[in-house]
Amino acid sequence: AQSVTQPDIHITVSEGASLELRCNYSYGATPYLFWYVQSPGQGLQLLLKYFSGDTLVQGIKGFEAEFKRSQSSFNLRKPSVHWSDAAEYFCAVGAGGAGNKLTFGGGTRVLVKP
Amino acid sequence: DTAVSQTPKYLVTQMGNDKSIKCEQNLGHDTMYWYKQDSKKFLKIMFSYNNKELIINETVPNRFSPKSPDKAHLNLHINSLELGDSAVYFCASSQVGVAQYFGPGTRLTVL
């Protein structure tokens, strides 16, 4: 069965500082990997996805993530955080194919200090 | 343009009632989903429909019945609501093997 672990429940970062959110997955085959962001009271917005190819993927809002098969990780990074990046971030793994069931991690809440 | 829309946004009801949540997507996707997000923000898939056919049912109580009248709509009907059904319910859609796009969510509160 697939699973996703986000080890950090909360992260506080100063505005302008860099951000890295950790994600580890367990999946038997090549996974489809995703990062979503959820602002307070809002739905989930797709930040970026990895299906195959280049292991460094670029997303929206200046985010990027790197797939490392040897570490079963898909960490999300942003070089310089803005106050508007304060939100809950979810990593997810999917099997692809019909149905494409997504399994989500528990989320990491990011707080941005002025 | 709203890609995936849900109604209502908020739903407050008494235990034992029956309620429905509606979802529509205008992305032309073949597959639609319902997810439940609990009070600890944990997201779990409930159902998946592909071209109006049920393909995932994740051990959800049969009080929950999804219905897909066409591939652009996936509604969720809940019978005999219980306190534990309080959550945020998200609809999503995708093409096969492609990222899922989520609706804004419906916050259900059962009193």
Side-chain angles (χ1 to χ4, degrees):
Chain A
Q2 57 205 52
S3 66
V4 179
T5 302
Q6 293 180 244
D8 304 304
I9 298 174
H10 297 281
I11 285 183
T12 300
V13 61
S14 297
E15 193 167 15
S18 63
L19 174 68
E20 180 165 13
L21 304 183
R22 296 183 290 163
C23 172
N24 293 98
Y25 68 90
S26 172
Y27 187 67
T30 300
Y32 286 29
L33 294 160
F34 308 86
W35 275 100
Y36 286 86
V37 60
Q38 184 179 27
S39 298
Q42 303 297 312
L44 284 86
Q45 181 180 24
L46 177 69
L47 282 176
L48 47 79
K49 59 186 183 286
Y50 172 78
F51 289 165
S52 64
D54 193 346
T55 56
L56 184 63
V57 293
Q58 302 297 321
I60 62 170
K61 304 186 178 189
F63 285 92
E64 66 178 24
E66 186 170 13
F67 170 58
K68 293 185 177 180
R69 184 186 300 276
S70 61
Q71 298 177 19
S72 297
S73 69
F74 188 57
N75 294 349
L76 180 72
R77 297 193 292 257
K78 184 168 184 177
S80 177
V81 168
H82 186 261
W83 63 266
S84 59
D85 293 322
E88 190 94 24
Y89 291 79
F90 292 94
C91 180
V93 62
N100 195 19
K101 165 185 165 181
L102 288 184
T103 299
F104 284 86
T108 298
R109 180 177 292 273
V110 172
L111 303 174
V112 180
K113 295 189 301 185
Chain B
D1 284 345
T2 303
V4 183
S5 59
Q6 296 178 227
T7 54
K9 189 170 174 61
Y10 300 97
L11 189 51
V12 181
T13 188
Q14 300 286 333
M15 270 199 315
N17 284 350
D18 304 338
K19 290 294 179 185
S20 292
I21 307 171
K22 295 186 176 182
C23 177
E24 176 181 4
Q25 55 96 1
N26 62 8
L27 298 166
H29 289 164
D30 292 326
T31 308
M32 296 184 72
Y33 313 78
W34 280 109
Y35 286 84
K36 179 180 180 179
Q37 185 175 46
D38 64 22
S39 58
K40 296 184 178 178
K41 300 281 188 175
F42 183 66
L43 272 155
K44 185 171 168 58
I45 191 165
M46 301 173 69
F47 301 103
S48 171
Y49 269 74
N50 184 256
N51 276 322
K52 303 193 298 175
E53 290 192 26
L54 178 67
I55 50 175
I56 292 177
N57 181 342
E58 285 288 301
T59 321
V60 177
N62 57 17
R63 297 183 296 104
F64 290 79
S65 52
K67 285 190 171 47
S68 183
D70 55 61
K71 74 173 193 178
H73 295 84
L74 180 62
N75 303 324
L76 183 65
H77 188 75
I78 316 170
N79 289 327
S80 303
L81 278 155
E82 300 177 358
L83 292 177
D85 298 331
S86 295
V88 181
Y89 292 84
F90 287 101
C91 178
S93 75
S94 76
Q95 284 294 77
V96 170
V98 182
Q100 295 176 20
Y101 292 87
F102 284 76
T106 296
R107 181 174 294 277
L108 171 65
T109 303
V110 182
L111 303 175

